[in-house]
Amino acid sequence: DVARVPFARLRLAGIEAVVFDKDNTLTPPYAAAPTVEGQRAIEAAVATFGPSACVVLSNSAGSADDADGREAEECERELGLRVVRHVYRKKPDCLADV
């Protein structure tokens, strides 16, 4: 349950940013809107790290499969977080784009 991640403890341990996976973490598969747990996690992470230090990295939204960027833009509107655009479809090959 992503809502149980101890963001404040991570911050105290020196973590400076959060990179969320989208499907099955913040949202149901292929959906843009967050689950209740996903929304709680987003709110806690943003309160702890700030909005510029919280992003979404997805195998679908923002990837080469989302060439026109529409899925990434929809997720950004729904989640309130920036979606990383990357040329590789699967993580971890796209970590350099973060």
Side-chain angles (χ1 to χ4, degrees), residues 4-18:
R4 293 181 180 212
V5 174
F7 293 107
R9 287 178 45 197
L10 293 174
R11 180 74 177 183
L12 289 173
I15 302 299
E16 297 179 8
V18 176

Side-chain angles (χ1 to χ4, degrees), residues 21-92:
D21 184 34
K22 183 182 87 61
D23 292 335
N24 295 313
T25 303
L26 297 178
T27 72
Y30 307 105
T35 61
V36 171
E37 295 83 4
Q39 185 60 44
R40 285 187 195 136
I42 291 167
E43 290 169 2
V46 168
T48 303
F49 293 95
S52 64
C54 300
V55 298
V56 175
L57 183 62
S58 172
N59 286 334
S60 53
S63 74
D65 289 348
D66 182 26
D68 62 4
R70 288 183 187 184
E71 189 176 351
E73 290 171 1
E74 180 182 11
C75 287
E76 288 173 337
R77 282 190 303 276
E78 292 286 339
L79 300 174
L81 298 174
R82 185 175 69 83
V83 174
V84 176
R85 279 27 174 219
H86 56 96
V87 296
Y88 298 102
R89 185 177 192 297
K90 297 287 184 183
K91 299 174 285 290

